[in-house]
Amino acid sequence: MIKFVLLVNKQGQTRLSQYYEYRDVTSRTTDEAEIIRKCLARAENQCSFIEYKSFKLVFRRYASLYFIVGIDNSENELAILEMIHMIVETLDQYFEGVCELDIMFNIEKAHMILDEIIANGEIVESNRSRILAPVQLIDKLKPQ
């Protein structure tokens, strides 16, 4: 099961966070700070999997953003790396070359896309056109 998804820039600022199990705000912020510090400290040639407390962290860097996913011990790390890549490709297709600013200024769209991919900590969709269809429909209905 996926516990959370974090998008973090190189300076360690969280740009998007989505949790799939309840955690109080103080434990979230302290754990996020430690998780981000651990992931940003890793070198490019080191493994992208880290065991942290009772779960694993799977992360990948794309340009200036780190995509960090917390999973339980029964989840497949390589499948999560593929999911991260699929999220990046989907965001890239929607924003036509995604960057940190696209996510910051369109946070609700980024959350919608993530919600189409993951529900209750499980991957429910991996087809990009099906993921983007509801978001594009809302864009068409929204007055310019």
Side-chain angles (χ1 to χ4, degrees):
M1 181 178 150
I2 298 170
K3 296 180 179 283
F4 59 84
V5 176
L6 301 174
L7 270 65
V8 180
N9 68 8
K10 284 196 263 187
Q11 288 77 35
Q13 300 165 320
T14 303
R15 294 303 180 198
L16 180 142
S17 66
Q18 183 80 12
Y19 285 82
Y20 299 102
E21 64 178 26
Y22 175 76
R23 300 190 56 186
D24 62 281
V25 176
T26 53
S27 70
R28 274 189 196 188
T29 53
T30 55
D31 282 349
E32 265 186 41
E34 193 172 339
I35 287 166
I36 290 166
R37 201 170 40 255
K38 283 179 180 280
C39 291
L40 267 58
R42 307 274 293 188
E44 283 290 320
N45 61 349
Q46 289 182 305
C47 182
S48 295
F49 313 139
I50 302 173
E51 288 194 19
Y52 177 78
K53 293 189 177 179
S54 64
F55 53 89
K56 295 183 217 170
L57 302 172
V58 179
F59 68 96
R60 188 150 183 196
R61 181 177 155 214
Y62 285 92
S64 65
L65 285 175
Y66 283 84
F67 289 74
I68 304 169
V69 180
I71 58 173
D72 60 16
N73 290 322
S74 65
E75 198 72 42
N76 183 341
E77 298 93 345
L78 294 176
I80 298 301
L81 273 179
E82 282 296 317
M83 182 204 67
I84 292 171
H85 186 68
M86 188 258 306
I87 291 170
V88 171
E89 286 180 334
T90 306
L91 289 171
D92 197 50
Q93 182 177 340
Y94 179 74
F95 291 112
E96 296 170 359
V98 69
C99 67
E100 183 179 344
L101 292 175
D102 290 326
I103 292 171
M104 286 175 54
F105 293 124
N106 298 290
I107 191 78
E108 71 284 345
K109 297 288 171 73
H111 273 286
M112 283 178 68
I113 290 169
L114 206 54
D115 288 342
E116 289 294 323
I117 297 169
I118 305 168
N120 294 326
E122 300 293 335
I123 301 168
V124 292
E125 187 60 69
S126 60
N127 183 321
R128 273 187 269 155
S129 59
R130 286 186 182 164
I131 293 166
L132 292 176
V135 183
Q136 291 168 336
L137 184 64
I138 290 171
D139 286 347
K140 286 181 187 175
L141 297 173
K142 192 170 93 174
Q144 299 299 338

